[in-house]
Amino acid sequence: MSARNLLRLTLVARRSASTASASQLGFIGLGNMGASMATNLAKAGHQVRVFDVSRAAIDAVVAGSEGRASAASSANEVVPGASAVVTMLPSSKEVTQIYSGSDGLLAASKGNGTLFIDSTTGEPGVCEKIAEEAQQAGAVYIDAPVSGGVVAAKNAQLTFMCGGPKSAFDIAAPLLAAMGKKSIHCGDKVGSGEAAKICNNMLLAVSMLGTCEAMALGKHLGLNPNNLAEVLNASSGRCWSSEVYNPVPGVVPGVPSSRDYDGGFLCALMLKDLRLAQSAAAQNQVSTVMGGLACQIYSLMCAHGLAAKDFSVFYKFLQDQQNKSN
Amino acid sequence: MSARNLLRLTLVARRSASTASASQLGFIGLGNMGASMATNLAKAGHQVRVFDVSRAAIDAVVAGSEGRASAASSANEVVPGASAVVTMLPSSKEVTQIYSGSDGLLAASKGNGTLFIDSTTGEPGVCEKIAEEAQQAGAVYIDAPVSGGVVAAKNAQLTFMCGGPKSAFDIAAPLLAAMGKKSIHCGDKVGSGEAAKICNNMLLAVSMLGTCEAMALGKHLGLNPNNLAEVLNASSGRCWSSEVYNPVPGVVPGVPSSRDYDGGFLCALMLKDLRLAQSAAAQNQVSTVMGGLACQIYSLMCAHGLAAKDFSVFYKFLQDQQNKSN
Amino acid sequence: MSARNLLRLTLVARRSASTASASQLGFIGLGNMGASMATNLAKAGHQVRVFDVSRAAIDAVVAGSEGRASAASSANEVVPGASAVVTMLPSSKEVTQIYSGSDGLLAASKGNGTLFIDSTTGEPGVCEKIAEEAQQAGAVYIDAPVSGGVVAAKNAQLTFMCGGPKSAFDIAAPLLAAMGKKSIHCGDKVGSGEAAKICNNMLLAVSMLGTCEAMALGKHLGLNPNNLAEVLNASSGRCWSSEVYNPVPGVVPGVPSSRDYDGGFLCALMLKDLRLAQSAAAQNQVSTVMGGLACQIYSLMCAHGLAAKDFSVFYKFLQDQQNKSN
Amino acid sequence: MSARNLLRLTLVARRSASTASASQLGFIGLGNMGASMATNLAKAGHQVRVFDVSRAAIDAVVAGSEGRASAASSANEVVPGASAVVTMLPSSKEVTQIYSGSDGLLAASKGNGTLFIDSTTGEPGVCEKIAEEAQQAGAVYIDAPVSGGVVAAKNAQLTFMCGGPKSAFDIAAPLLAAMGKKSIHCGDKVGSGEAAKICNNMLLAVSMLGTCEAMALGKHLGLNPNNLAEVLNASSGRCWSSEVYNPVPGVVPGVPSSRDYDGGFLCALMLKDLRLAQSAAAQNQVSTVMGGLACQIYSLMCAHGLAAKDFSVFYKFLQDQQNKSN
């Protein structure tokens, strides 16, 4: 970040801080996650101009905002007057389309030092490119993908993983606090948030699949699943998947395994993140033997009609035949 | 367990409880682990007759026991007069050799209701067979493999995973408490302790390999390892391997990764446990796709000369070439 | 093979050669494969005493033998008077049970230099042990597992893979020729036939799974399966599975893929062979990364109800969902 | 291909056929492969304008062409007057850069119906896009990646796998015949040649890795490698890797395994092709479980310093430690 951009940003920050309850923001991307995030920003007292390709999505957010959200008729229209703009898009492809070029968001910010906070889950390399373009356009761009699903978004309980200069992170933090419970600064390099997220999700997939196999093996060896979970959680096999989100129905109340794997973090979304990880690994010449197999397993489960089931459904998939006969 | 054996065992238990500081025990198998375990039993005030194929190993334990350990000249010689006998052997093969048949430990117990506690890491199926034979011989056999390595054995900080009737477990518990910090009753079926241990270690291997890959990917994406570990440990990728035993040198002080992967839980031992898991899975018709690949990876690392390194060395193995040039 | 046994065997061989059309044989194990093999020996003019645990199986072979097969009432009863005995059993476990010990086949041969030809698919290590015991009992034991299924057995078109001294192989060869089209001497060590068979079948599984994936990928990329098969078979991807036994329906007429994967070489049998390979690899400290994954994939397919389908069904399993919707 | 372009192409074809020995061609990309291919076109009597980013590469081809190759000072300069232009570039990225846009090759062809034959190994999807752009520009573009390495290129022994309309393939065929021994029309869709090539190479990788494991397992079970290769090649494990290019030194004379895996088809290139396959599989929602693991294994071997060794070196990698000690 150049000294000039940093100065602009600091001025913006002071302005925001002095008028915290009335800062002007932009928000683009009002899907399941984005709509809740924009609503939470409005609830926290901010004025938010919102845009989505679906007019109905815009209207719904505006209607639920107690007068603090207003409709924009294009993505670029949310920029003028906004100290910060949050984007929540389907993938890196849309990020490039909306931010980049002479008709993009960065150009629309006209060198006013706007802070762009991108919560899209995407490729670290794309974030780096947009950040460079932002700097040339007199704007600041950081990545801030989230962990936690639709329910966490609604309840402002998301975790944000952020990449970019610490100074920019510090300015973004109060806004993120209106949408989540925690923000982690993952690195000064833009894209570090995305990088941390795909590493986390790759490890999550591997440990979930391992947990499913360990629980299935234990069951076939005659162990009671609750006993086995207790042993694992007191031992070196302990992981988030065994403790908090156990894939065996009945071991942990309220998680997707206990409602036939409906809802939760869908196999299709895990597959998407694993493919981002595989792509990042290939570009950076890293071997990920277990992560690669995890990616194939989720691909196979999606081919078997489980794309819309929770990612812990591998426990059931492993033992498909037995379930049919029981 | 038959009513008759249970009665015998209860009587033995009462006898033990009333004379807790002076009960007579047997111990067979004085390797790195067993020698410390026998010593801790003696330190706790028990009289222990000890045997090993190595006379030197016997002498060392006797010498360090403040007069409470005595040498036996054969395995069977530890049995007469002992209310309980603990065994810590290399594998299921030795368990069968020593316990079974007309010249084995069970026969030597002469129907006196001796409690045999087997801490060998082995096959659940073998434990079941020995338990049946024990019942016929008027003895009681439970399995109680340990978690924690040589240091934990020395400091009486082992965790015991036990399989067998709850009544037998309750009688064993005070003895186990002299050698460890925790005992878990994994199931009423003898072999449940072994079953839980191999499930745990399979999950441990999978999550460790996944942690190594996630940390390596993050490093190549420009993340600081400490930052990434912090993110994982606050997120859904959290596991024992990321939190307590991180495979990247410097992230967690004092673990094997910080001393070039020396000591710790050796790849060769992890491979042995993974093979037990694969064997149990095959016998019980369970698929363990990730566990199977983990087994192959440890086999490959052993073939590359890493058998005597800690099992977290996969982080280094993944990036072999870079380490050579750096 | 000791000089004494070899002499006996040579004498037996001369006797057999001089009376080729009337030699006395034994045959144990009259399942789908064994019944056809015994029948073909009888058709070739030999007198064959046959045994199986199923009386009906014995009767069927005797009935179809034009008077040259006769019923034995126990396994050992086929031995007296026989120059050679062929066994075709379910697994190594039955081989040990029937051959070994004071009441086994080897003892029943009473040092008469009987040649035992074992066509069971089993563990090389078990064959070695039986061969040693045979030598002590004054008999000769070689392994001769087969390739080719039920149809090949019926039409005397099997391939035999043999392990044992060349002199013993030469004596066995004319008998094998009555049951198959080809016999290969794989090595002088008994067990070499089993070893070669499990190596072959592991490679078969790997290349079949790879062929299924290549054909599925090509289809999704818009290639005509016949065109792609032609390219593969003219290029470095060529293998038995792509050329002779293509897993895509319609590419090669008459193979199981063209009749919804019915019949053929069942997934359950391939899984059995892959487990033998994994067991042999573990005992010999060899890594088989692809072979290990192949084993897991067949285990998963069996859990999904495909145990009784041909092993090329992975092509369908890979794309399960699409098949459902089409 | 539109009727108008096809007409143009047919006219060009007639012109070429009538003056076969003197047609004017263009060639771009004079690396190890391309230089030999361009030289072979010149040797066959064609006039070839050649271009490369390296002036030295251009000069070498011109010098060895007996006056039939001439230097171009830019890529576009090879187009005017050429009935056909062959490109042999590092990857799809360079294909897009050179062909596409208002300053690209397609624009430079000025609607004259030039036939572009692209022998780059790349992504089928990119070929499709360039073919569409070609049609709009009044040109014809087909893909024709090659199989066979540097030696085959030098000796005009390449195999071409072609995608595009049959009529265009027929026109290209005589030119391809000057550079190779065989051309296969893989499909009418442009990109079919690339698709077939990546399917073939994925299967090649899987079957080579499987062959290495089967040969290694056999060796550890005591089989002579020549015997085992003979068995495999007479059985269902037979594949190109076992028959023609066996990975065990000494089994097939003259292949890379017999010269310490030097030369041949490098691991780094196989890894590149496997990544193309993984990318194509992900885009088309196909699972490739074995192909995915093969990709990871080649990545791991490259990380272990084997990038410049032949792809059959996995046989050695599998048994690294033994080789060190022997």
Side-chain angles (χ1 to χ4, degrees):
Chain A
M1 188 158 52
S2 69
R4 199 166 137 224
N5 284 0
L6 187 54
L7 177 61
R8 276 201 198 96
L9 192 59
T10 309
L11 293 174
V12 168
R14 280 188 195 143
R15 194 173 65 213
S16 299
S18 62
T19 59
S21 64
S23 68
Q24 171 77 28
L25 305 172
F27 200 108
I28 300 168
L30 305 170
N32 283 338
M33 301 291 292
S36 293
M37 292 162 71
T39 299
N40 284 329
L41 283 175
K43 282 187 185 166
H46 301 289
Q47 299 295 322
V48 195
R49 295 214 77 184
V50 300
F51 179 73
D52 191 274
V53 288
S54 155
R55 180 70 212 191
I58 296 175
D59 291 345
V61 170
V62 170
S65 73
E66 301 172 14
R68 283 194 287 270
S70 58
S73 57
S74 74
N76 287 2
E77 215 183 286
V78 312
V79 179
S83 57
V85 173
V86 180
T87 50
M88 187 64 172
L89 304 169
S91 75
S92 286
K93 192 179 149 196
E94 289 80 10
V95 169
T96 301
Q97 284 171 351
I98 285 184
Y99 273 94
S100 195
S102 57
D103 57 348
L105 283 183
L106 298 175
S109 75
K110 297 185 177 168
N112 286 323
T114 313
L115 172 62
F116 290 94
I117 303 170
D118 183 16
S119 286
T120 308
T121 294
E123 302 171 37
V126 169
C127 295
E128 284 187 75
K129 281 184 198 159
I130 302 290
E132 284 173 27
E133 205 178 324
Q135 177 152 344
Q136 285 160 14
V140 175
Y141 168 93
I142 66 171
D143 63 309
V146 303
S147 156
V150 172
V151 175
K154 193 177 172 77
N155 299 333
Q157 292 290 307
L158 295 169
T159 297
F160 289 89
M161 301 177 216
C162 305
K166 183 66 163 54
S167 53
F169 171 75
D170 289 341
I171 295 166
L175 300 179
L176 301 178
M179 300 182 282
K181 64 174 176 185
K182 184 166 188 176
S183 299
I184 305 174
H185 184 231
C186 301
D188 291 335
K189 194 166 125 183
V190 179
S192 295
E194 302 288 2
K197 181 170 181 183
I198 65 181
C199 290
N200 180 75
N201 283 13
M202 186 176 79
L203 177 51
L204 170 60
V206 168
S207 52
M208 173 55 85
L209 297 175
T211 302
C212 292
E213 293 182 2
M215 295 298 298
L217 178 55
K219 175 188 149 193
H220 286 260
L221 293 174
L223 296 176
N224 175 295
N226 290 299
N227 282 3
L228 178 55
E230 192 192 334
V231 172
L232 297 177
N233 294 336
S235 310
S236 51
R238 172 174 59 82
C239 59
W240 184 89
S241 297
S242 67
E243 256 184 324
V244 177
Y245 206 91
N246 199 288
V248 182
V251 171
V252 174
V255 296
S257 62
S258 294
R259 48 175 194 265
D260 198 22
Y261 306 96
D262 275 330
F265 184 38
L266 307 190
C267 286
L269 294 176
M270 179 52 100
L271 178 57
K272 184 190 150 199
D273 286 1
L274 288 168
R275 282 181 173 152
L276 286 176
Q278 288 305 295
S279 176
Q283 282 163 34
N284 290 277
Q285 311 287 339
V286 190
S287 306
T288 54
V289 192
M290 301 292 278
L293 184 56
C295 187
Q296 297 295 337
I297 289 173
Y298 278 100
S299 170
L300 195 59
M301 288 201 286
C302 288
H304 279 251
L306 300 173
K309 289 284 184 177
D310 181 70
F311 82 117
S312 63
V313 74
F314 183 58
Y315 179 73
K316 191 177 177 184
F317 183 73
L318 262 183
Q319 311 172 83
D320 192 64
Q321 190 59 8
Q322 284 92 330
N323 286 345
K324 279 177 189 163
S325 56
N326 286 356
Chain B
M1 191 158 51
S2 69
R4 199 167 137 224
N5 284 1
L6 187 55
L7 177 62
R8 277 203 197 94
L9 191 61
T10 308
L11 292 173
V12 169
R14 281 190 195 140
R15 193 174 66 214
S16 299
S18 61
T19 60
S21 62
S23 66
Q24 170 79 28
L25 305 173
F27 200 108
I28 301 168
L30 305 170
N32 283 338
M33 301 291 293
S36 293
M37 292 162 71
T39 300
N40 284 329
L41 283 174
K43 281 189 184 165
H46 301 289
Q47 300 294 323
V48 195
R49 297 214 76 183
V50 300
F51 180 72
D52 191 273
V53 288
S54 155
R55 179 72 213 191
I58 295 174
D59 291 346
V61 169
V62 170
S65 74
E66 300 171 15
R68 283 194 287 269
S70 58
S73 58
S74 75
N76 287 0
E77 215 184 286
V78 313
V79 178
S83 58
V85 173
V86 181
T87 51
M88 185 66 173
L89 303 168
S91 75
S92 285
K93 191 179 150 194
E94 287 82 9
V95 169
T96 300
Q97 284 172 350
I98 286 185
Y99 274 94
S100 198
S102 57
D103 57 348
L105 284 183
L106 299 174
S109 75
K110 297 183 177 170
N112 287 323
T114 314
L115 173 63
F116 291 93
I117 303 171
D118 184 16
S119 286
T120 308
T121 293
E123 301 172 37
V126 170
C127 295
E128 284 187 76
K129 281 183 198 159
I130 302 291
E132 283 172 29
E133 204 177 324
Q135 176 152 346
Q136 285 159 15
V140 175
Y141 168 92
I142 65 170
D143 62 310
V146 303
S147 155
V150 173
V151 176
K154 193 179 171 74
N155 299 333
Q157 292 290 306
L158 294 168
T159 297
F160 289 89
M161 301 177 215
C162 306
K166 182 69 165 51
S167 53
F169 170 75
D170 288 341
I171 294 166
L175 300 179
L176 301 178
M179 301 182 282
K181 64 175 177 185
K182 184 168 189 175
S183 300
I184 305 176
H185 184 232
C186 301
D188 291 335
K189 194 166 124 184
V190 179
S192 295
E194 302 289 1
K197 181 170 180 182
I198 64 180
C199 291
N200 180 75
N201 282 13
M202 186 175 80
L203 177 51
L204 170 60
V206 168
S207 53
M208 174 53 87
L209 297 175
T211 302
C212 292
E213 292 182 2
M215 295 300 297
L217 178 54
K219 175 187 149 192
H220 286 260
L221 293 174
L223 296 177
N224 175 294
N226 291 299
N227 282 2
L228 178 54
E230 192 192 334
V231 172
L232 297 178
N233 293 337
S235 310
S236 49
R238 173 173 59 81
C239 58
W240 184 89
S241 297
S242 66
E243 256 184 325
V244 177
Y245 207 90
N246 199 289
V248 182
V251 170
V252 174
V255 296
S257 61
S258 294
R259 47 174 194 266
D260 199 23
Y261 306 96
D262 276 332
F265 183 38
L266 306 190
C267 286
L269 295 177
M270 179 52 99
L271 178 57
K272 183 191 151 198
D273 286 1
L274 289 168
R275 283 180 174 154
L276 286 176
Q278 288 304 295
S279 176
Q283 281 163 36
N284 290 277
Q285 311 286 341
V286 191
S287 307
T288 55
V289 192
M290 301 293 279
L293 184 56
C295 187
Q296 297 295 338
I297 290 174
Y298 279 100
S299 170
L300 195 59
M301 288 201 287
C302 288
H304 279 251
L306 300 172
K309 290 284 185 177
D310 181 70
F311 81 116
S312 63
V313 75
F314 183 57
Y315 179 73
K316 191 177 177 185
F317 183 72
L318 262 184
Q319 313 171 82
D320 191 64
Q321 189 58 7
Q322 284 90 332
N323 287 345
K324 279 178 189 165
S325 56
N326 285 357
Chain C
M1 190 157 51
S2 70
R4 197 165 138 227
N5 284 1
L6 187 55
L7 177 61
R8 277 203 198 94
L9 192 60
T10 308
L11 292 173
V12 169
R14 281 191 195 139
R15 193 173 67 213
S16 298
S18 62
T19 59
S21 64
S23 66
Q24 172 77 27
L25 305 173
F27 200 108
I28 300 168
L30 305 170
N32 283 337
M33 301 291 293
S36 293
M37 292 163 71
T39 300
N40 284 328
L41 283 174
K43 281 187 185 167
H46 301 289
Q47 300 295 323
V48 195
R49 295 214 78 184
V50 300
F51 180 72
D52 192 272
V53 288
S54 154
R55 180 71 212 191
I58 296 175
D59 292 344
V61 169
V62 170
S65 72
E66 301 172 14
R68 282 195 287 271
S70 58
S73 57
S74 74
N76 288 0
E77 214 183 286
V78 311
V79 178
S83 59
V85 173
V86 180
T87 50
M88 186 65 173
L89 303 169
S91 75
S92 286
K93 191 179 151 196
E94 288 81 10
V95 169
T96 300
Q97 284 172 349
I98 286 184
Y99 274 94
S100 197
S102 57
D103 57 347
L105 284 183
L106 299 175
S109 74
K110 298 183 176 168
N112 287 322
T114 312
L115 173 63
F116 290 94
I117 304 170
D118 183 16
S119 286
T120 308
T121 294
E123 301 171 38
V126 170
C127 295
E128 284 186 75
K129 281 183 198 161
I130 301 290
E132 282 171 29
E133 203 177 325
Q135 177 153 342
Q136 286 160 13
V140 175
Y141 169 92
I142 65 171
D143 63 310
V146 303
S147 154
V150 173
V151 175
K154 192 178 170 76
N155 299 334
Q157 292 291 305
L158 295 168
T159 297
F160 289 89
M161 301 177 216
C162 305
K166 183 66 163 56
S167 53
F169 171 75
D170 288 342
I171 294 166
L175 299 178
L176 301 178
M179 300 182 283
K181 64 174 178 187
K182 184 166 188 175
S183 298
I184 305 175
H185 184 232
C186 301
D188 290 336
K189 192 165 125 184
V190 180
S192 295
E194 302 290 0
K197 180 169 180 183
I198 65 180
C199 291
N200 179 75
N201 282 14
M202 185 176 79
L203 177 50
L204 171 60
V206 168
S207 53
M208 174 54 86
L209 297 175
T211 302
C212 292
E213 292 181 1
M215 296 299 297
L217 178 55
K219 175 187 149 193
H220 286 260
L221 293 174
L223 296 176
N224 176 297
N226 291 298
N227 282 3
L228 177 55
E230 193 192 333
V231 172
L232 298 177
N233 294 336
S235 309
S236 49
R238 172 173 60 81
C239 58
W240 185 88
S241 297
S242 67
E243 256 184 324
V244 177
Y245 206 91
N246 199 288
V248 182
V251 170
V252 174
V255 296
S257 61
S258 295
R259 48 175 193 267
D260 199 23
Y261 306 96
D262 275 332
F265 183 38
L266 307 190
C267 285
L269 295 176
M270 179 53 99
L271 177 57
K272 184 190 150 200
D273 286 2
L274 288 168
R275 283 180 173 154
L276 286 175
Q278 288 306 296
S279 175
Q283 282 163 35
N284 290 277
Q285 311 287 342
V286 190
S287 307
T288 55
V289 192
M290 301 292 279
L293 184 55
C295 186
Q296 297 295 339
I297 290 174
Y298 278 101
S299 170
L300 195 58
M301 288 201 286
C302 288
H304 279 251
L306 300 172
K309 289 284 184 176
D310 181 70
F311 82 116
S312 63
V313 75
F314 183 57
Y315 178 73
K316 191 177 175 184
F317 183 72
L318 261 183
Q319 312 171 83
D320 192 62
Q321 189 58 7
Q322 285 91 332
N323 286 345
K324 278 178 190 163
S325 57
N326 286 355
Chain D
M1 189 158 53
S2 71
R4 199 167 138 223
N5 284 1
L6 186 56
L7 177 61
R8 278 203 198 92
L9 191 61
T10 309
L11 291 173
V12 169
R14 282 190 193 140
R15 192 172 67 213
S16 299
S18 61
T19 59
S21 64
S23 66
Q24 171 76 30
L25 305 173
F27 201 108
I28 301 168
L30 305 171
N32 284 339
M33 300 291 292
S36 293
M37 292 163 72
T39 300
N40 283 329
L41 283 175
K43 280 188 185 166
H46 301 289
Q47 300 295 322
V48 194
R49 296 216 75 185
V50 300
F51 180 73
D52 192 273
V53 288
S54 154
R55 180 71 212 192
I58 296 175
D59 291 346
V61 169
V62 170
S65 74
E66 301 172 15
R68 284 195 286 272
S70 58
S73 57
S74 75
N76 287 359
E77 214 182 287
V78 312
V79 178
S83 58
V85 173
V86 181
T87 50
M88 187 65 172
L89 303 169
S91 76
S92 285
K93 191 179 149 195
E94 288 82 9
V95 169
T96 299
Q97 283 171 349
I98 286 185
Y99 273 95
S100 197
S102 57
D103 57 348
L105 283 182
L106 298 175
S109 75
K110 297 184 177 167
N112 287 322
T114 313
L115 173 62
F116 290 93
I117 303 170
D118 183 16
S119 285
T120 308
T121 293
E123 301 170 38
V126 170
C127 295
E128 283 187 76
K129 281 185 198 159
I130 302 290
E132 282 171 29
E133 203 178 324
Q135 177 153 343
Q136 285 159 14
V140 174
Y141 168 92
I142 66 171
D143 64 308
V146 303
S147 155
V150 173
V151 175
K154 192 179 172 78
N155 299 334
Q157 291 291 306
L158 295 169
T159 296
F160 289 90
M161 300 177 216
C162 305
K166 183 66 164 55
S167 53
F169 170 74
D170 289 341
I171 294 166
L175 300 178
L176 301 179
M179 301 182 282
K181 64 175 177 184
K182 184 166 187 176
S183 299
I184 304 176
H185 183 232
C186 300
D188 291 335
K189 194 166 124 184
V190 179
S192 296
E194 302 289 2
K197 181 170 180 183
I198 64 180
C199 291
N200 180 75
N201 283 15
M202 186 176 79
L203 178 51
L204 170 60
V206 168
S207 53
M208 174 54 86
L209 297 175
T211 302
C212 292
E213 292 181 2
M215 295 300 297
L217 177 56
K219 175 187 150 193
H220 286 259
L221 293 174
L223 296 176
N224 176 295
N226 290 298
N227 281 3
L228 178 55
E230 193 192 333
V231 172
L232 297 177
N233 294 336
S235 309
S236 49
R238 171 175 60 82
C239 60
W240 185 88
S241 297
S242 66
E243 256 184 327
V244 177
Y245 206 91
N246 199 289
V248 182
V251 170
V252 174
V255 295
S257 61
S258 295
R259 46 173 194 270
D260 198 23
Y261 306 96
D262 276 331
F265 182 39
L266 307 189
C267 285
L269 295 176
M270 180 52 99
L271 178 57
K272 184 190 150 199
D273 286 2
L274 288 169
R275 283 180 173 154
L276 286 176
Q278 288 304 296
S279 175
Q283 282 162 35
N284 291 277
Q285 311 286 342
V286 191
S287 307
T288 54
V289 192
M290 301 293 279
L293 184 55
C295 187
Q296 297 295 339
I297 290 174
Y298 279 100
S299 169
L300 196 58
M301 288 201 287
C302 288
H304 279 251
L306 300 172
K309 289 285 185 176
D310 182 69
F311 81 117
S312 62
V313 74
F314 183 58
Y315 179 73
K316 192 176 176 186
F317 183 73
L318 262 183
Q319 311 171 84
D320 192 64
Q321 188 59 5
Q322 285 89 331
N323 286 344
K324 278 178 191 164
S325 56
N326 286 355

